[in-house]
Amino acid sequence: SKLIKRILNIIGSFIEYSSFERRGVFALLFILFLFLGYYFVRSNISYTKMPLDEDALASFQEQLDKKLGERPTYENKISQYTKKENSKIALQLFNPNFDSQEELINKGVPARIAQNIVNYRSKGGAYKSKEDLLKLYSITDVQYAKLEPFIAIPITQAERFTKDVQNTPPVKLEIIDLNSASLSELKRIPGIGDVLSERIIRYRRSLGGFNSLSQLEEVYGLRENLQVDASTYFSLDRSKILKIKINTADFKSILRHPYLDYNETKAIINYIEQHGAISSLSEFKNLHIFRDKDVDRILPYLDLN
């Protein structure tokens, strides 16, 4: 009977717990059972490993290697030149007057220098000596020092003849007027070929005629190639100069002259519109746009009538 009373007391004391306390006890018991169940399952279930198919894996690796090896490569000339340049090809003897860009690169010349060598040639330039390569803006003194022992410029029969001409008094030819010389006459002058003779006539046309023999130096490439003094072969008939009628010419006609730029032409037109015709060359020289400029070279080409 005492035992029963004790049990009833225990049960009665449990019943006296609040509902919140009872829920807490149940929650703790639930979590405890979860942990016990997890460890029971983990200790009693064994995992079987899947067998590895070595042959299938090797076949897959082989197919993957083939796919990667078949990726296309896209290379243009520039990338090829860069690779060759980066591979540091040993320098070989090269001729800047005849070797192509690709040949120069294959002989160890840096790609950028090779391109400029060919570009200079395509514009009518020629390399008469090794030092002529220093005219290229892309080559430094250090690069030239490395290339110089490998520059091969053979002396041709024509070059031997040129040297002979330079070492002997020039043969007096009939002096021709620079302002009326034809292509065939110009090509007779040592150092002036087809390209330079065409440039001279084209520049003479844009000027309206030469006023001085020194203006020949303004023709691209002529200073480097002309082998004699211009006065040996040329005279000047300045009466053949075509002048600009500055007071009546339109904007395009004035701008066409190589000695006048856009702003100068605009200033001339505006001055005439505001002040009337220009009456003297001194008045022209005093225009604001020409202050502190070499304006004398344009004066022979102006007609104020």
Side-chain angles (χ1 to χ4, degrees), residues 67-114:
K67 290 293 182 182
L68 292 176
E70 293 173 357
R71 287 183 300 178
T73 57
Y74 301 94
E75 294 183 354
N76 52 27
K77 279 191 173 184
I78 296 176
S79 63
Q80 291 174 359
Y81 294 158
T82 303
K83 287 182 179 179
K84 290 179 180 178
E85 185 175 358
N86 292 338
S87 63
K88 296 183 179 180
I89 301 174
L91 277 167
Q92 304 172 34
L93 290 177
F94 65 91
N95 188 334
N97 286 312
F98 296 102
D99 289 341
S100 67
Q101 182 174 343
E102 186 173 359
E103 289 172 334
L104 290 170
I105 293 173
N106 288 333
K107 292 180 179 181
V109 179
R112 183 178 293 276
I113 295 176

Side-chain angles (χ1 to χ4, degrees), residues 11 18 26 32 39 83 107-109 118 166 168 174 181 193 200 211 216 242 244-245 280 285:
I11 294 173
S18 66
F26 286 133
L32 178 62
Y39 283 109
K83 287 182 179 179
K107 292 180 179 181
V109 179
V118 175
Q166 291 175 340
T168 58
E174 180 183 356
I200 290 172
N211 182 62
L216 281 171
L242 300 177
I244 304 171
K245 294 185 179 297
S280 66
K285 291 176 66 174

Side-chain angles (χ1 to χ4, degrees), residues 114-163:
Q115 182 179 3
N116 287 327
I117 288 175
V118 175
N119 288 346
Y120 180 77
R121 240 168 39 205
S122 65
K123 295 177 181 178
Y127 303 95
K128 297 179 181 179
S129 65
K130 295 182 178 182
E131 291 77 13
D132 285 345
L133 265 74
L134 288 171
K135 298 175 183 178
L136 303 176
Y137 67 88
S138 63
I139 188 170
T140 64
D141 291 338
V142 175
Q143 290 173 321
Y144 174 76
K146 294 179 180 179
L147 295 175
E148 191 272 336
F150 301 93
I151 302 173
I153 304 179
I155 299 178
T156 64
Q157 184 176 358
E159 289 170 333
R160 289 193 183 95
F161 173 76
T162 298
K163 290 190 175 183

